[in-house]
Coordinates of all heavy atoms in Angstrom, one line a residue:
M1 N 123.0 100.0 85.8 CA 122.4 98.8 86.5 C 122.3 99.0 88.0 O 123.2 99.5 88.6 CB 123.2 97.6 86.2 CG 122.8 96.8 85.0 SD 121.1 96.3 85.0 CE 121.1 94.9 86.0
R2 N 121.2 98.6 88.5 CA 121.1 98.7 90.0 C 121.7 97.4 90.6 O 121.7 96.4 90.0 CB 119.6 98.6 90.4 CG 118.9 99.9 90.1 CD 117.6 100.0 90.9 NE 116.9 101.2 90.7 CZ 116.0 101.4 89.8 NH1 115.7 100.4 89.0 NH2 115.4 102.5 89.6
N3 N 122.3 97.6 91.8 CA 122.7 96.4 92.5 C 122.1 96.5 93.9 O 121.6 97.6 94.3 CB 124.2 96.3 92.5 CG 124.9 97.5 93.2 OD1 124.5 97.9 94.3 ND2 125.9 98.0 92.5
S4 N 122.2 95.5 94.7 CA 121.6 95.4 96.0 C 122.1 96.5 96.9 O 121.4 97.0 97.8 CB 121.6 94.1 96.6 OG 123.0 93.7 96.7
N5 N 123.4 96.8 96.8 CA 124.0 97.8 97.6 C 123.3 99.2 97.4 O 123.0 99.9 98.3 CB 125.5 97.9 97.4 CG 126.3 96.8 97.9 OD1 125.8 96.0 98.8 ND2 127.5 96.6 97.4
E6 N 123.1 99.5 96.1 CA 122.5 100.8 95.8 C 121.1 100.8 96.4 O 120.6 101.9 96.8 CB 122.5 101.0 94.3 CG 123.8 101.2 93.7 CD 123.7 101.7 92.3 OE1 122.6 101.8 91.7 OE2 124.8 102.1 91.7
L7 N 120.4 99.7 96.4 CA 119.0 99.7 96.8 C 118.9 99.9 98.3 O 117.9 100.3 98.8 CB 118.4 98.3 96.5 CG 118.0 98.1 95.1 CD1 117.4 96.7 94.9 CD2 116.9 99.1 94.6
N8 N 120.0 99.7 99.0 CA 120.0 99.8 100.5 C 120.6 101.0 101.1 O 120.9 101.1 102.2 CB 120.7 98.5 101.1 CG 119.7 97.4 101.2 OD1 118.9 97.3 102.1 ND2 119.8 96.5 100.3
V9 N 120.8 102.0 100.2 CA 121.3 103.3 100.7 C 120.2 104.4 100.5 O 119.4 104.3 99.6 CB 122.6 103.7 100.1 CG1 123.7 102.7 100.3 CG2 122.5 104.0 98.7
C10 N 120.3 105.4 101.4 CA 119.5 106.6 101.2 C 120.0 107.4 100.0 O 121.2 107.6 99.8 CB 119.6 107.4 102.5 SG 118.8 109.0 102.3
R11 N 119.0 107.7 99.1 CA 119.4 108.4 97.9 C 119.8 109.9 98.2 O 120.5 110.5 97.4 CB 118.2 108.5 96.9 CG 117.8 107.1 96.4 CD 116.5 107.2 95.6 NE 116.2 105.8 95.1 CZ 115.2 105.6 94.3 NH1 114.4 106.6 93.9 NH2 114.9 104.3 93.9
V12 N 119.5 110.4 99.3 CA 119.8 111.7 99.7 C 121.2 111.8 100.3 O 122.0 112.6 99.9 CB 118.8 112.3 100.7 CG1 119.2 113.7 101.2 CG2 117.4 112.5 100.0
C13 N 121.4 111.0 101.3 CA 122.7 111.1 102.1 C 123.6 109.9 102.0 O 124.7 110.0 102.5 CB 122.4 111.4 103.6 SG 121.7 109.9 104.4
G14 N 123.2 108.8 101.4 CA 124.1 107.7 101.2 C 124.1 106.7 102.4 O 124.9 105.8 102.4
A15 N 123.4 107.0 103.5 CA 123.4 106.2 104.7 C 122.8 104.8 104.4 O 121.8 104.7 103.7 CB 122.7 106.8 105.8
K16 N 123.5 103.8 104.9 CA 123.0 102.4 104.7 C 121.7 102.2 105.5 O 121.6 102.7 106.6 CB 124.0 101.4 105.2 CG 125.3 101.4 104.3 CD 125.6 100.1 103.7 CE 126.6 100.2 102.6 NZ 127.9 100.9 102.9
Q17 N 120.8 101.5 104.9 CA 119.4 101.3 105.5 C 119.2 99.8 105.7 O 119.7 99.0 104.9 CB 118.3 101.8 104.6 CG 118.5 103.3 104.1 CD 118.4 104.2 105.3 OE1 117.6 104.1 106.1 NE2 119.3 105.3 105.3
L18 N 118.5 99.4 106.7 CA 118.2 98.0 106.9 C 117.3 97.4 105.9 O 117.5 96.3 105.3 CB 117.6 97.8 108.3 CG 118.5 98.1 109.5 CD1 117.7 98.0 110.8 CD2 119.7 97.2 109.5
E19 N 116.3 98.2 105.5 CA 115.4 97.8 104.5 C 115.6 98.8 103.3 O 115.9 99.9 103.5 CB 113.9 98.0 105.0 CG 113.6 97.1 106.1 CD 113.5 95.6 105.8 OE1 113.2 95.3 104.6 OE2 113.8 94.8 106.7
P20 N 115.5 98.3 102.0 CA 115.6 99.2 100.9 C 114.6 100.3 101.0 O 113.4 100.0 101.0 CB 115.4 98.3 99.7 CG 115.2 96.9 100.2 CD 115.2 96.9 101.7
P21 N 115.1 101.6 101.0 CA 114.1 102.7 101.1 C 113.1 102.7 100.0 O 112.0 103.2 100.2 CB 115.1 103.9 101.0 CG 116.4 103.4 101.2 CD 116.5 102.0 100.9
W22 N 113.4 102.2 98.8 CA 112.5 102.3 97.7 C 112.1 100.8 97.3 O 111.8 100.6 96.1 CB 113.1 103.1 96.5 CG 112.9 104.5 96.7 CD1 113.6 105.4 97.5 CD2 111.9 105.3 96.1 NE1 113.1 106.6 97.5 CE2 112.0 106.7 96.5 CE3 110.9 105.1 95.1 CZ2 111.2 107.7 96.1 CZ3 110.1 106.1 94.7 CH2 110.2 107.4 95.2
G23 N 112.2 99.9 98.2 CA 111.8 98.5 97.9 C 112.8 97.8 97.1 O 113.7 98.3 96.6
E24 N 112.5 96.5 96.9 CA 113.4 95.6 96.2 C 113.4 96.0 94.7 O 114.4 95.8 94.0 CB 113.0 94.2 96.3 CG 113.1 93.6 97.7 CD 114.5 93.5 98.2 OE1 115.5 93.6 97.4 OE2 114.7 93.4 99.5
D25 N 112.3 96.6 94.2 CA 112.3 97.0 92.8 C 112.7 98.4 92.6 O 112.8 98.9 91.5 CB 110.8 96.8 92.3 CG 109.8 97.6 93.1 OD1 110.2 98.4 94.0 OD2 108.6 97.5 92.7
G26 N 113.1 99.1 93.7 CA 113.5 100.5 93.6 C 112.4 101.5 93.2 O 112.7 102.6 92.8
L27 N 111.2 101.0 93.3 CA 110.0 101.8 92.8 C 108.9 102.0 93.9 O 108.0 102.7 93.7 CB 109.4 101.2 91.6 CG 110.3 101.0 90.3 CD1 109.6 100.2 89.3 CD2 110.5 102.4 89.7
T28 N 109.1 101.2 95.0 CA 108.1 101.2 96.0 C 108.6 101.7 97.3 O 109.1 101.0 98.1 CB 107.6 99.7 96.2 OG1 107.5 99.1 94.9 CG2 106.4 99.6 97.0
P29 N 108.4 103.1 97.5 CA 109.0 103.7 98.7 C 108.4 103.1 100.0 O 107.2 102.8 100.1 CB 108.6 105.2 98.6 CG 107.6 105.2 97.5 CD 107.7 104.0 96.7
S30 N 109.2 103.1 101.1 CA 108.7 102.5 102.3 C 108.1 103.6 103.2 O 107.4 103.2 104.2 CB 109.9 101.9 103.1 OG 110.8 103.0 103.4
Y31 N 108.3 104.9 102.9 CA 107.8 106.0 103.7 C 108.4 105.9 105.1 O 107.8 106.5 106.1 CB 106.3 106.1 103.8 CG 105.7 106.3 102.4 CD1 105.1 105.3 101.7 CD2 105.8 107.6 101.8 CE1 104.7 105.5 100.4 CE2 105.4 107.8 100.5 CZ 104.8 106.8 99.8 OH 104.3 107.0 98.5
E32 N 109.6 105.2 105.3 CA 110.3 105.3 106.5 C 111.1 106.6 106.5 O 111.3 107.2 105.5 CB 111.3 104.1 106.6 CG 110.6 102.7 106.7 CD 109.8 102.5 108.0 OE1 110.2 103.1 109.0 OE2 108.8 101.7 108.0
I33 N 111.7 106.9 107.7 CA 112.5 108.1 107.8 C 114.0 107.7 107.9 O 114.3 106.7 108.7 CB 112.1 108.9 109.1 CG1 110.6 109.2 109.2 CG2 113.0 110.1 109.3 CD1 110.2 110.2 108.2
C34 N 114.8 108.3 107.2 CA 116.3 108.1 107.3 C 116.8 108.6 108.6 O 116.6 109.7 109.0 CB 117.0 108.8 106.1 SG 118.8 108.5 106.2
D35 N 117.5 107.7 109.3 CA 118.1 108.1 110.6 C 119.1 109.3 110.5 O 119.3 110.0 111.4 CB 118.9 106.9 111.2 CG 117.9 105.9 111.8 OD1 116.8 106.1 112.0 OD2 118.4 104.7 112.0
C36 N 119.7 109.3 109.3 CA 120.8 110.3 109.1 C 120.3 111.6 108.7 O 120.4 112.6 109.4 CB 121.8 109.7 108.1 SG 123.2 110.8 107.9
C37 N 119.7 111.7 107.5 CA 119.3 113.0 107.0 C 117.8 113.3 107.3 O 117.4 114.4 107.0 CB 119.6 113.1 105.5 SG 118.5 112.0 104.5
G38 N 117.0 112.3 107.7 CA 115.7 112.6 108.1 C 114.7 112.6 106.9 O 113.5 113.0 107.1
V39 N 115.1 112.3 105.7 CA 114.2 112.2 104.6 C 113.2 111.2 104.8 O 113.4 110.1 105.4 CB 115.0 112.0 103.3 CG1 115.6 110.6 103.2 CG2 114.1 112.3 102.1
E40 N 112.0 111.4 104.3 CA 111.0 110.4 104.3 C 111.0 109.8 102.9 O 110.7 110.5 101.9 CB 109.6 110.9 104.6 CG 108.5 109.9 104.6 CD 107.1 110.4 105.0 OE1 107.0 111.4 105.6 OE2 106.2 109.7 104.6
F41 N 111.3 108.5 102.8 CA 111.5 107.8 101.5 C 110.2 107.8 100.8 O 109.2 107.4 101.3 CB 112.0 106.4 101.7 CG 113.3 106.3 102.5 CD1 113.4 105.6 103.6 CD2 114.4 107.1 102.1 CE1 114.6 105.5 104.3 CE2 115.6 107.0 102.8 CZ 115.7 106.3 104.0
G42 N 110.2 108.4 99.6 CA 109.0 108.4 98.8 C 108.3 109.8 98.8 O 107.4 110.1 98.1
Y43 N 108.9 110.7 99.7 CA 108.3 112.0 99.8 C 109.3 113.1 99.3 O 109.3 113.5 98.2 CB 107.9 112.2 101.2 CG 107.2 113.6 101.4 CD1 106.2 114.0 100.6 CD2 107.6 114.4 102.5 CE1 105.6 115.3 100.8 CE2 107.0 115.7 102.7 CZ 106.0 116.1 101.8 OH 105.5 117.3 102.0
E44 N 110.3 113.4 100.2 CA 111.3 114.5 99.8 C 112.2 114.0 98.7 O 113.0 114.8 98.1 CB 112.0 115.0 101.0 CG 111.2 115.8 102.0 CD 110.9 115.0 103.2 OE1 110.8 113.8 103.1 OE2 110.7 115.6 104.3
D45 N 112.3 112.6 98.6 CA 113.3 112.1 97.6 C 112.5 111.5 96.4 O 113.0 110.6 95.7 CB 114.2 111.0 98.2 CG 113.4 109.8 98.7 OD1 112.1 109.9 98.7 OD2 114.0 108.8 98.9
M46 N 111.3 112.0 96.1 CA 110.4 111.4 95.1 C 111.0 111.6 93.7 O 110.7 110.9 92.8 CB 109.0 112.0 95.2 CG 108.9 113.5 94.9 SD 107.3 114.1 95.4 CE 106.2 113.1 94.4
N47 N 111.8 112.7 93.5 CA 112.4 112.8 92.2 C 113.8 113.5 92.4 O 114.1 113.9 93.5 CB 111.6 113.6 91.2 CG 111.2 115.0 91.7 OD1 112.2 115.8 92.1 ND2 110.0 115.4 91.7
I48 N 114.6 113.6 91.3 CA 116.0 114.0 91.4 C 116.1 115.5 91.9 O 116.9 115.8 92.7 CB 116.7 113.8 90.1 CG1 118.2 114.1 90.2 CG2 116.1 114.6 88.9 CD1 119.0 113.1 90.9
N49 N 115.2 116.3 91.4 CA 115.2 117.7 91.9 C 114.9 117.8 93.3 O 115.5 118.6 94.1 CB 114.3 118.6 91.0 CG 114.8 118.8 89.6 OD1 116.0 118.8 89.4 ND2 113.8 118.8 88.7
A50 N 113.9 117.1 93.7 CA 113.4 117.2 95.2 C 114.5 116.7 96.1 O 114.8 117.3 97.1 CB 112.1 116.4 95.3
L51 N 115.1 115.6 95.7 CA 116.2 115.0 96.6 C 117.4 115.8 96.6 O 118.1 115.9 97.6 CB 116.4 113.5 96.3 CG 117.3 113.0 95.1 CD1 118.7 112.9 95.5 CD2 116.8 111.6 94.7
K52 N 117.8 116.4 95.5 CA 118.9 117.3 95.5 C 118.7 118.6 96.4 O 119.6 119.0 97.1 CB 119.3 117.8 94.1 CG 120.1 116.8 93.3 CD 120.5 117.4 92.0 CE 121.5 116.4 91.3 NZ 121.7 116.9 89.9
R53 N 117.5 119.1 96.3 CA 117.1 120.2 97.1 C 117.2 119.8 98.6 O 117.7 120.6 99.4 CB 115.7 120.7 96.8 CG 115.6 122.1 96.5 CD 114.2 122.7 96.2 NE 113.1 121.7 96.1 CZ 112.5 121.4 94.9 NH1 113.0 121.9 93.8 NH2 111.6 120.5 94.9
Y54 N 116.6 118.7 98.9 CA 116.6 118.2 100.3 C 118.1 118.0 100.8 O 118.4 118.4 101.9 CB 115.9 116.9 100.4 CG 115.6 116.5 101.9 CD1 114.5 117.0 102.6 CD2 116.6 115.8 102.6 CE1 114.3 116.6 103.9 CE2 116.4 115.4 103.9 CZ 115.3 115.9 104.6 OH 115.1 115.5 105.9
R55 N 118.9 117.4 99.9 CA 120.3 117.2 100.3 C 121.1 118.5 100.6 O 121.8 118.6 101.5 CB 121.0 116.4 99.2 CG 122.5 116.0 99.6 CD 123.2 115.4 98.4 NE 122.6 114.2 97.9 CZ 122.3 113.9 96.6 NH1 122.7 114.7 95.7 NH2 121.7 112.8 96.3
E56 N 120.8 119.4 99.7 CA 121.5 120.7 99.8 C 121.1 121.4 101.1 O 122.0 121.9 101.8 CB 121.0 121.6 98.7 CG 122.1 122.4 97.9 CD 121.6 123.0 96.7 OE1 120.9 124.0 96.7 OE2 121.8 122.4 95.6
K57 N 119.9 121.4 101.4 CA 119.4 121.9 102.7 C 120.0 121.3 103.9 O 120.5 121.9 104.8 CB 117.8 121.8 102.7 CG 117.1 123.0 103.1 CD 115.6 122.9 102.9 CE 115.0 121.7 103.5 NZ 113.5 121.6 103.3
W58 N 120.1 119.9 103.8 CA 120.6 119.1 104.9 C 122.1 119.4 105.1 O 122.6 119.6 106.2 CB 120.4 117.7 104.6 CG 120.9 116.7 105.7 CD1 120.5 116.6 106.9 CD2 122.0 115.8 105.5 NE1 121.3 115.6 107.6 CE2 122.2 115.1 106.7 CE3 122.9 115.5 104.4 CZ2 123.2 114.1 106.9 CZ3 123.9 114.5 104.6 CH2 124.0 113.9 105.8
L59 N 122.8 119.5 104.0 CA 124.3 119.8 104.1 C 124.5 121.2 104.6 O 125.4 121.4 105.4 CB 124.9 119.6 102.7 CG 125.0 118.2 102.2 CD1 125.5 118.2 100.7 CD2 125.9 117.3 103.0
K60 N 123.7 122.1 104.2 CA 123.8 123.5 104.6 C 123.6 123.7 106.1 O 124.2 124.5 106.7 CB 122.8 124.4 103.8 CG 123.4 125.8 103.5 CD 122.4 126.6 102.6 CE 122.7 126.4 101.1 NZ 121.8 127.1 100.3
K61 N 122.7 122.9 106.6 CA 122.5 122.9 108.1 C 123.5 122.2 108.9 O 123.4 122.0 110.1 CB 121.1 122.3 108.4 CG 119.9 123.3 108.0 CD 118.6 122.6 108.5 CE 117.4 123.4 108.0 NZ 116.2 122.5 108.1
G62 N 124.5 121.6 108.2 CA 125.6 121.0 108.9 C 125.6 119.5 108.9 O 126.3 118.8 109.7
A63 N 124.7 118.9 108.1 CA 124.6 117.4 108.0 C 124.4 116.8 109.3 O 125.1 115.8 109.7 CB 125.9 116.9 107.3
V64 N 123.5 117.3 110.1 CA 123.1 116.8 111.4 C 122.3 115.5 111.3 O 121.4 115.4 110.5 CB 122.4 117.9 112.2 CG1 121.9 117.3 113.6 CG2 123.2 119.1 112.4
W65 N 122.6 114.5 112.1 CA 121.9 113.3 112.1 C 120.5 113.5 112.7 O 120.3 114.1 113.8 CB 122.6 112.2 113.0 CG 123.6 111.4 112.1 CD1 124.7 111.9 111.5 CD2 123.5 110.0 111.7 NE1 125.3 111.0 110.7 CE2 124.6 109.8 110.9 CE3 122.6 109.0 112.0 CZ2 124.8 108.5 110.3 CZ3 122.8 107.7 111.5 CH2 123.9 107.5 110.6
F66 N 119.5 113.0 112.0 CA 118.1 113.1 112.4 C 117.9 112.4 113.7 O 117.2 112.9 114.7 CB 117.2 112.6 111.3 CG 115.7 112.7 111.6 CD1 115.1 113.9 111.6 CD2 115.0 111.6 112.0 CE1 113.7 114.1 111.9 CE2 113.6 111.7 112.2 CZ 113.0 112.9 112.2
R67 N 118.4 111.2 113.8 CA 118.4 110.4 115.1 C 119.8 110.3 115.6 O 120.5 109.3 115.2 CB 117.7 109.0 114.9 CG 116.2 109.1 114.6 CD 115.6 107.7 114.6 NE 114.2 107.8 114.2 CZ 113.7 107.5 113.0 NH1 114.5 107.0 112.1 NH2 112.4 107.6 112.8
E68 N 120.2 111.2 116.4 CA 121.6 111.3 116.8 C 122.1 110.1 117.4 O 123.3 109.7 117.3 CB 121.7 112.5 117.9 CG 123.1 112.8 118.3 CD 123.9 113.5 117.3 OE1 123.4 114.3 116.5 OE2 125.1 113.2 117.3
K69 N 121.3 109.3 118.2 CA 121.7 108.1 118.8 C 122.1 107.0 117.9 O 122.8 106.0 118.2 CB 120.8 107.6 119.9 CG 119.4 107.1 119.3 CD 118.6 106.6 120.5 CE 117.1 106.3 120.1 NZ 116.9 105.3 119.1
E70 N 121.7 107.1 116.6 CA 122.0 106.1 115.6 C 123.3 106.4 114.9 O 123.8 105.6 114.1 CB 120.9 106.0 114.5 CG 119.5 105.6 115.1 CD 119.5 104.3 115.7 OE1 120.2 103.4 115.3 OE2 118.6 104.1 116.7
K71 N 123.9 107.5 115.2 CA 125.1 107.9 114.5 C 126.3 107.1 114.9 O 126.5 106.9 116.1 CB 125.4 109.4 114.8 CG 126.6 110.0 114.1 CD 126.8 111.4 114.4 CE 128.0 112.0 113.8 NZ 128.2 113.4 114.0
P72 N 127.0 106.5 114.0 CA 128.1 105.6 114.3 C 129.2 106.5 115.0 O 129.3 107.7 114.8 CB 128.7 105.1 113.0 CG 127.6 105.4 112.0 CD 126.8 106.5 112.5
A73 N 130.0 105.8 116.0 CA 131.0 106.5 116.7 C 132.0 107.1 115.7 O 132.5 108.2 115.9 CB 131.7 105.6 117.7
V74 N 132.3 106.3 114.7 CA 133.2 106.8 113.7 C 132.4 107.0 112.4 O 131.9 106.0 111.9 CB 134.4 105.8 113.4 CG1 135.3 106.3 112.3 CG2 135.2 105.5 114.7
W75 N 132.3 108.2 112.0 CA 131.5 108.5 110.8 C 132.1 109.6 110.0 O 132.7 110.6 110.5 CB 130.1 109.0 111.3 CG 129.2 109.4 110.3 CD1 128.6 108.5 109.4 CD2 128.7 110.7 109.9 NE1 127.7 109.1 108.5 CE2 127.8 110.5 108.8 CE3 128.9 111.9 110.3 CZ2 127.2 111.5 108.2 CZ3 128.3 113.0 109.7 CH2 127.4 112.8 108.7
S76 N 132.1 109.4 108.7 CA 132.6 110.4 107.7 C 131.6 110.7 106.7 O 131.1 109.9 106.0 CB 133.9 109.8 107.0 OG 134.1 110.5 105.8
L77 N 131.2 112.0 106.7 CA 130.2 112.4 105.8 C 130.7 112.2 104.3 O 129.9 111.7 103.5 CB 129.9 114.0 106.0 CG 129.0 114.6 104.9 CD1 127.6 114.0 104.9 CD2 129.0 116.1 105.2
D78 N 131.9 112.5 104.1 CA 132.5 112.4 102.7 C 132.4 110.9 102.2 O 132.0 110.7 101.1 CB 133.9 112.9 102.6 CG 134.0 114.4 102.7 OD1 132.9 115.0 102.5 OD2 135.1 114.9 103.0
D79 N 132.7 110.0 103.1 CA 132.7 108.6 102.7 C 131.3 108.1 102.5 O 131.0 107.4 101.5 CB 133.3 107.7 103.8 CG 134.8 107.7 103.8 OD1 135.4 108.3 102.9 OD2 135.4 107.2 104.8
Q80 N 130.4 108.6 103.3 CA 129.0 108.2 103.2 C 128.4 108.8 101.9 O 127.6 108.1 101.2 CB 128.1 108.7 104.4 CG 126.7 108.2 104.3 CD 125.9 108.7 105.5 OE1 126.1 108.2 106.6 NE2 125.1 109.7 105.3
L81 N 128.7 110.0 101.5 CA 128.2 110.6 100.3 C 128.6 109.8 99.1 O 127.9 109.8 98.1 CB 128.6 112.1 100.2 CG 128.0 113.0 101.2 CD1 128.6 114.4 101.1 CD2 126.5 113.1 101.1
K82 N 129.7 109.1 99.2 CA 130.2 108.3 98.0 C 129.3 107.1 97.8 O 129.3 106.5 96.7 CB 131.6 107.8 98.3 CG 132.7 108.9 98.2 CD 134.1 108.3 98.5 CE 135.0 109.4 98.9 NZ 136.1 109.1 99.8
N83 N 128.5 106.7 98.8 CA 127.6 105.6 98.6 C 126.4 106.0 97.7 O 125.6 105.1 97.2 CB 127.0 105.2 99.9 CG 128.0 104.6 100.9 OD1 129.1 104.2 100.4 ND2 127.7 104.7 102.1
I84 N 126.1 107.3 97.5 CA 124.9 107.7 96.7 C 125.1 107.3 95.3 O 126.1 107.5 94.7 CB 124.8 109.2 96.8 CG1 124.6 109.7 98.2 CG2 123.6 109.7 95.9 CD1 124.7 111.2 98.4
P85 N 124.1 106.5 94.8 CA 124.2 106.0 93.4 C 124.4 107.2 92.4 O 123.8 108.2 92.6 CB 122.9 105.3 93.2 CG 122.4 104.9 94.5 CD 122.9 106.0 95.4
E86 N 125.2 107.0 91.4 CA 125.5 108.0 90.4 C 124.3 108.8 89.9 O 124.3 110.0 89.9 CB 126.1 107.2 89.2 CG 127.0 108.1 88.3 CD 128.4 108.5 89.1 OE1 129.1 107.5 89.5 OE2 128.6 109.6 89.1
Q87 N 123.2 108.1 89.7 CA 122.0 108.7 89.1 C 121.3 109.6 90.0 O 120.4 110.4 89.6 CB 121.1 107.7 88.5 CG 120.4 106.8 89.5 CD 121.2 105.5 89.7 OE1 122.4 105.5 89.7 NE2 120.5 104.3 89.9
Y88 N 121.7 109.6 91.3 CA 121.0 110.5 92.3 C 121.9 111.6 92.8 O 121.6 112.3 93.8 CB 120.5 109.7 93.4 CG 119.5 108.6 93.0 CD1 119.8 107.3 93.3 CD2 118.4 108.9 92.3 CE1 118.9 106.3 92.8 CE2 117.5 108.0 91.8 CZ 117.8 106.6 92.1 OH 116.9 105.6 91.7
R89 N 123.1 111.8 92.2 CA 124.0 112.8 92.7 C 123.7 114.1 92.1 O 123.2 114.2 91.0 CB 125.5 112.4 92.3 CG 125.9 111.2 93.1 CD 127.3 110.9 93.0 NE 127.7 109.6 93.7 CZ 128.9 109.1 93.8 NH1 129.9 109.7 93.1 NH2 129.1 108.0 94.4
Ligands
ZN101 ZN1 119.4 109.9 104.4

């Protein structure tokens, strides 16, 4: 079951988003860019294989924030990754 928390996180990196990246129905991508991993919702995360590939690449490069100034002062990659809904891990 989806819940509102799951709808508001990036499927790639687990970062919380102001607007649901895939809309309220989880099916309508916003084509916004994630501040954290830089994924474009609806593009690199369009399916499970694509998003896993993108996540792997991002992690391999050191999990660098796409918009560095949005990075919280206290941030834990491990904690954030726990936000990723089960079905997208
Ligand atoms: Zn992200």
Side-chain angles (χ1 to χ4, degrees):
M1 267 308 278
R2 287 202 179 88
N3 62 48
S4 57
N5 288 340
E6 289 194 354
L7 284 175
N8 278 281
V9 303
C10 173
R11 295 175 180 182
V12 172
C13 72
K16 295 236 161 58
Q17 309 292 320
L18 294 177
E19 299 291 331
W22 278 76
E24 296 296 341
D25 58 2
L27 298 168
T28 315
S30 65
Y31 299 103
E32 297 290 332
I33 306 288
C34 177
D35 287 341
C36 183
C37 69
V39 70
E40 181 176 338
F41 305 124
Y43 182 51
E44 293 102 333
D45 65 346
M46 66 194 300
N47 61 49
I48 186 74
N49 289 327
L51 79 86
K52 276 186 173 172
R53 231 181 356 252
Y54 189 91
R55 184 189 298 135
E56 227 168 76
K57 230 169 50 183
W58 178 68
L59 290 173
K60 216 175 265 177
K61 285 185 188 164
V64 176
W65 273 64
F66 181 73
R67 293 190 182 100
E68 184 71 36
K69 66 178 170 62
E70 303 296 333
K71 184 178 177 177
V74 178
W75 180 70
S76 159
L77 173 63
D78 288 342
D79 283 352
Q80 185 179 285
L81 291 174
K82 287 178 196 149
N83 296 337
I84 299 170
E86 205 71 54
Q87 65 269 38
Y88 303 122
R89 291 189 185 180

